[in-house]
Protein backbone atom coordinates (compact mmCIF):
# COMPACT_ATOMS: atom_id res chain seq x y z
CA UNK A 1 0.00 0.00 0.00
CA UNK A 2 1.33 3.44 -0.95
CA UNK A 3 0.27 6.39 1.24
CA UNK A 4 0.77 10.14 0.75
CA UNK A 5 0.99 11.64 4.24
CA UNK A 6 0.75 15.39 4.89
CA UNK A 7 1.89 16.76 8.22
CA UNK A 8 4.47 19.10 9.68
CA UNK A 9 7.46 17.32 11.23
CA UNK A 10 9.94 18.41 13.88
CA UNK A 11 11.58 20.92 14.15
CA UNK A 12 8.22 22.63 13.47
CA UNK A 13 6.77 23.53 16.86
CA UNK A 14 3.52 21.63 16.64
CA UNK A 15 1.88 18.86 18.61
CA UNK A 16 0.91 17.32 15.28
CA UNK A 17 4.57 17.28 14.19
CA UNK A 18 5.41 15.37 17.39
CA UNK A 19 2.41 13.06 16.85
CA UNK A 20 3.58 12.27 13.30
CA UNK A 21 7.14 11.66 14.49
CA UNK A 22 5.82 8.98 16.86
CA UNK A 23 3.26 7.49 14.45
CA UNK A 24 5.22 7.30 11.19
CA UNK A 25 7.75 4.55 12.04
CA UNK A 26 4.90 2.26 13.13
CA UNK A 27 2.76 3.12 10.13
CA UNK A 28 5.74 2.55 7.82
CA UNK A 29 5.91 -1.08 8.91
CA UNK A 30 2.51 -1.59 7.23
CA UNK A 31 2.73 0.63 4.13
CA UNK A 32 5.04 2.61 1.89
CA UNK A 33 4.76 6.15 3.29
CA UNK A 34 5.74 9.35 1.51
CA UNK A 35 5.55 12.38 3.80
CA UNK A 36 4.97 15.74 2.12
CA UNK A 37 6.19 18.81 3.99
CA UNK A 38 7.08 22.45 3.36
CA UNK A 39 10.61 23.53 2.46
CA UNK A 40 12.70 22.69 5.55
CA UNK A 41 14.92 19.90 6.81
CA UNK A 42 13.28 17.58 9.38
CA UNK A 43 15.29 17.33 12.58
CA UNK A 44 14.89 13.57 13.05
CA UNK A 45 17.27 11.63 10.76
CA UNK A 46 15.84 8.26 11.90
CA UNK A 47 12.48 9.25 10.43
CA UNK A 48 14.01 9.58 6.95
CA UNK A 49 15.05 5.92 7.17
CA UNK A 50 11.47 4.81 7.81
CA UNK A 51 9.63 7.02 5.31
CA UNK A 52 10.39 9.03 2.20
CA UNK A 53 10.21 12.79 2.93
CA UNK A 54 9.40 15.10 0.04
CA UNK A 55 8.37 18.69 -0.68
CA UNK A 56 4.59 19.05 -1.02
CA UNK A 57 4.88 20.58 -4.50
CA UNK A 58 6.18 17.22 -5.76
CA UNK A 59 2.82 15.70 -4.86
CA UNK A 60 1.01 18.31 -6.93
CA UNK A 61 3.32 17.70 -9.88
CA UNK A 62 2.83 13.92 -9.71
CA UNK A 63 -0.83 13.76 -8.74
CA UNK A 64 -2.70 11.59 -11.22
CA UNK A 65 0.43 10.11 -12.81
CA UNK A 66 1.44 8.01 -9.81
CA UNK A 67 -1.69 7.40 -7.76
CA UNK A 68 -1.59 6.62 -4.07
CA UNK A 69 -3.78 4.07 -2.37
CA UNK A 70 -4.55 6.67 0.29
CA UNK A 71 -3.90 10.37 0.90
CA UNK A 72 -3.86 11.33 4.58
CA UNK A 73 -4.06 15.00 5.60
CA UNK A 74 -3.26 15.99 9.20
CA UNK A 75 -4.98 19.31 9.90
CA UNK A 76 -4.47 21.58 12.87
CA UNK A 77 -5.43 25.15 13.63
CA UNK A 78 -2.17 26.96 12.87
CA UNK A 79 -0.10 28.27 9.93
CA UNK A 80 1.91 25.02 9.60
CA UNK A 81 -1.17 23.53 7.92
CA UNK A 82 -1.99 26.14 5.25
CA UNK A 83 -0.42 24.13 2.42
CA UNK A 84 -2.20 21.00 3.66
CA UNK A 85 -5.57 22.78 3.75
CA UNK A 86 -5.08 24.09 0.21
CA UNK A 87 -4.33 20.60 -1.11
CA UNK A 88 -7.04 18.84 0.89
CA UNK A 89 -9.73 21.11 -0.55
CA UNK A 90 -8.52 20.53 -4.13
CA UNK A 91 -7.52 16.85 -3.88
CA UNK A 92 -9.82 14.94 -1.52
CA UNK A 93 -8.34 12.39 0.85
CA UNK A 94 -8.71 11.15 4.41
CA UNK A 95 -8.74 14.00 6.92
CA UNK A 96 -7.13 13.54 10.34
CA UNK A 97 -8.85 16.41 12.12
CA UNK A 98 -6.76 17.20 15.20
CA UNK A 99 -8.91 20.20 16.15
CA UNK A 100 -12.59 20.76 15.44
CA UNK A 101 -12.30 24.54 15.20
CA UNK A 102 -10.18 25.65 12.23
CA UNK A 103 -11.00 29.36 12.26
CA UNK A 104 -7.42 30.46 12.97
CA UNK A 105 -6.22 28.27 10.11
CA UNK A 106 -8.83 29.75 7.75
CA UNK A 107 -7.71 33.23 8.78
CA UNK A 108 -4.17 32.22 7.74
CA UNK A 109 -5.48 30.74 4.47
CA UNK A 110 -7.42 33.92 3.63
CA UNK A 111 -6.92 37.10 5.71
CA UNK A 112 -3.15 36.73 6.17
CA UNK A 113 -2.85 36.32 2.39
CA UNK A 114 -4.95 39.47 1.85
CA UNK A 115 -7.87 37.44 0.48
CA UNK A 116 -10.80 39.07 2.26
CA UNK A 117 -13.25 37.90 -0.41
CA UNK A 118 -12.13 34.34 0.27
CA UNK A 119 -12.61 34.86 4.02
CA UNK A 120 -16.12 36.25 3.47
CA UNK A 121 -17.00 33.27 1.21
CA UNK A 122 -15.76 30.77 3.79
CA UNK A 123 -17.46 32.59 6.64
CA UNK A 124 -20.80 32.66 4.82
CA UNK A 125 -20.40 28.99 3.82
CA UNK A 126 -19.74 27.99 7.43
CA UNK A 127 -22.03 30.34 9.36
CA UNK A 128 -24.52 31.87 6.93
CA UNK A 129 -25.07 35.38 5.63
CA UNK A 130 -25.68 36.76 9.13
CA UNK A 131 -21.98 36.34 9.98
CA UNK A 132 -20.93 38.73 7.21
CA UNK A 133 -21.94 41.89 9.08
CA UNK A 134 -19.46 41.15 11.84
CA UNK A 135 -16.82 40.22 9.24
CA UNK A 136 -17.16 43.67 7.70
CA UNK A 137 -16.27 45.15 11.10
CA UNK A 138 -13.28 42.83 11.27
CA UNK A 139 -12.03 44.03 7.89
CA UNK A 140 -12.38 47.66 8.97
CA UNK A 141 -10.41 46.93 12.15
CA UNK A 142 -13.38 47.43 14.47
CA UNK A 143 -13.61 43.85 15.74
CA UNK A 144 -11.73 40.55 15.92
CA UNK A 145 -12.83 37.45 13.98
CA UNK A 146 -15.26 35.25 15.88
CA UNK A 147 -12.68 32.52 16.35
CA UNK A 148 -14.48 30.66 19.12
CA UNK A 149 -18.02 30.94 17.73
CA UNK A 150 -17.49 29.76 14.13
CA UNK A 151 -15.48 26.57 13.59
CA UNK A 152 -14.80 27.11 9.84
CA UNK A 153 -14.39 23.39 9.09
CA UNK A 154 -17.37 22.69 6.82
CA UNK A 155 -15.73 22.87 3.38
CA UNK A 156 -12.80 20.71 4.41
CA UNK A 157 -15.06 18.07 5.99
CA UNK A 158 -17.37 18.02 2.97
CA UNK A 159 -14.45 17.67 0.53
CA UNK A 160 -12.83 14.80 2.45
CA UNK A 161 -13.36 11.14 1.61
CA UNK A 162 -13.38 10.32 5.33
CA UNK A 163 -12.50 11.98 8.63
CA UNK A 164 -10.62 10.66 11.63
CA UNK A 165 -10.97 12.48 14.94
CA UNK A 166 -9.53 12.13 18.44
CA UNK A 167 -12.66 12.70 20.51
CA UNK A 168 -16.41 12.18 20.56
CA UNK A 169 -16.87 15.96 20.13
Amino acid sequence: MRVAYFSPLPPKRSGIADYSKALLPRLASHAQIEVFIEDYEPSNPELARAVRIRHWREFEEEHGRQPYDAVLYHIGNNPHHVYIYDLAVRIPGVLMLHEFNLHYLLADVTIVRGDWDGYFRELEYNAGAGALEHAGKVRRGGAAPEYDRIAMNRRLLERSRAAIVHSDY
Side-chain angles (χ1 to χ4, degrees):
M1 174 178 232
R2 187 168 176 237
V3 177
Y5 185 104
F6 292 83
S7 172
L9 296 174
K12 294 293 183 183
R13 295 176 51 94
S14 160
I16 296 170
D18 296 337
Y19 174 90
S20 288
K21 175 185 164 192
L23 176 65
L24 280 166
R26 289 173 177 80
L27 193 58
S29 68
H30 301 284
Q32 177 188 347
I33 310 296
E34 295 183 28
V35 181
F36 292 90
I37 63 173
E38 292 179 295
D39 191 19
Y40 61 92
E41 190 67 34
S43 61
N44 185 332
E46 298 85 40
L47 200 52
R49 288 191 283 277
V51 300
R52 184 172 179 204
I53 300 172
R54 304 173 65 191
H55 191 280
W56 66 267
R57 281 189 169 64
E58 294 177 48
F59 176 80
E60 266 193 320
E61 293 164 3
E62 283 184 5
H63 181 68
R65 291 189 313 236
Q66 294 186 332
Y68 292 85
D69 297 301
V71 178
L72 182 58
Y73 297 109
H74 287 265
I75 295 287
N77 199 21
N78 67 52
H80 298 310
H81 301 270
V82 169
Y83 79 100
I84 300 171
Y85 180 89
D86 288 343
L87 284 167
V89 168
R90 288 195 327 271
I91 304 169
V94 176
L95 173 66
M96 174 68 88
L97 189 61
H98 290 263
E99 297 173 77
F100 181 77
N101 185 336
L102 300 177
H103 201 136
Y104 284 99
L105 173 62
L106 263 291
D108 287 317
V109 168
T110 57
I111 296 171
V112 171
R113 292 173 166 171
D115 182 10
W116 281 97
D117 291 340
Y119 180 74
F120 292 153
R121 275 192 309 275
E122 288 303 314
L123 190 64
E124 184 174 24
Y125 190 74
N126 280 273
L132 293 177
E133 182 181 336
H134 181 80
K137 293 177 188 173
V138 172
R139 185 174 189 177
R140 293 186 298 277
E146 296 180 285
Y147 290 118
D148 294 329
R149 193 176 77 77
I150 303 168
M152 300 287 272
N153 59 23
R154 182 177 174 192
R155 187 173 312 278
L156 188 58
L157 284 167
E158 289 179 353
R159 292 285 300 151
S160 298
R161 296 191 189 285
I164 300 169
V165 296
H166 293 282
S167 73
D168 292 335
Y169 180 72

